[in-house]
Amino acid sequence: MIYKRLRELDGGKDKLPNLRELAAQENKIALSTREKEIQRNTMSNTDEKRLKQREAAIEILESHPEGVKSVDLKRHVEGEVGEEITNMTTFMQTLMNKVPGIVKVSRGFYQYNSK
């Protein structure tokens, strides 16, 4: 009844969409948003690389209690992981925020304190 009246008002130019078609479209949209959420929640390749780099840096710092120069640390991490660290300062700042035992003793020199 309502659809009939709407068609009359519309002049019958455009058909009103079928309710089943609308429901199918809504389901497709809902599925695509769920898939996007799942993709966001899973680790990307860059996140996995960064995690490997951080783990390698922590291992190296733990194995050298006297401390390590930034340049040497970068070379070792890049050698172990096989990925370049593009910005060592940012990398170490993030690492120091995540691991409180890592300390910047002086310019370009980092140490791991397990205390």
Side-chain angles (χ1 to χ4, degrees), residues 40-89:
R40 275 190 231 125
N41 292 336
T42 58
M43 263 193 191
S44 67
N45 287 339
T46 55
D47 291 338
E48 290 177 15
K49 291 174 190 173
R50 286 188 196 124
L51 184 62
K52 289 177 185 177
Q53 288 174 337
R54 289 179 190 145
E55 289 172 351
I58 292 168
E59 287 176 16
I60 293 165
L61 287 167
E62 285 177 340
S63 65
H64 294 87
E66 69 281 355
V68 181
K69 283 185 173 182
S70 168
V71 175
D72 296 331
L73 182 62
K74 182 176 180 178
R75 285 185 190 138
H76 286 312
V77 170
E78 289 175 348
E80 275 189 38
V81 178
E83 292 291 326
E84 182 185 3
I85 298 173
T86 53
N87 189 331
M88 189 63 177
T89 302

Side-chain angles (χ1 to χ4, degrees), residues 4-113:
K4 184 178 179 182
R5 180 68 182 135
L6 286 173
R7 283 189 198 102
E8 288 173 9
L9 292 173
D10 193 28
K13 295 176 186 173
D14 298 321
K15 285 187 174 180
L16 291 174
N18 186 349
L19 292 178
R20 287 188 181 135
E21 291 173 9
L22 285 175
Q25 289 174 356
E26 287 179 8
N27 285 337
K28 286 180 186 178
I29 292 170
L31 286 175
S32 66
T33 55
R34 281 190 215 128
E35 289 171 358
K36 288 177 185 176
E37 283 182 35
I38 291 170
Q39 287 176 353
R40 275 190 231 125
N41 292 336
T42 58
M43 263 193 191
S44 67
N45 287 339
T46 55
D47 291 338
E48 290 177 15
K49 291 174 190 173
R50 286 188 196 124
L51 184 62
K52 289 177 185 177
Q53 288 174 337
R54 289 179 190 145
E55 289 172 351
I58 292 168
E59 287 176 16
I60 293 165
L61 287 167
E62 285 177 340
S63 65
H64 294 87
E66 69 281 355
V68 181
K69 283 185 173 182
S70 168
V71 175
D72 296 331
L73 182 62
K74 182 176 180 178
R75 285 185 190 138
H76 286 312
V77 170
E78 289 175 348
E80 275 189 38
V81 178
E83 292 291 326
E84 182 185 3
I85 298 173
T86 53
N87 189 331
M88 189 63 177
T89 302
T90 304
F91 175 76
M92 288 308 295
Q93 286 293 329
T94 304
L95 194 61
M96 287 190 293
N97 288 336
K98 292 185 182 280
V99 182
I102 297 175
V103 182
K104 184 174 183 177
V105 179
S106 63
R107 182 177 179 209
F109 196 80
Y110 295 93
Q111 193 172 30
Y112 182 80
N113 296 328

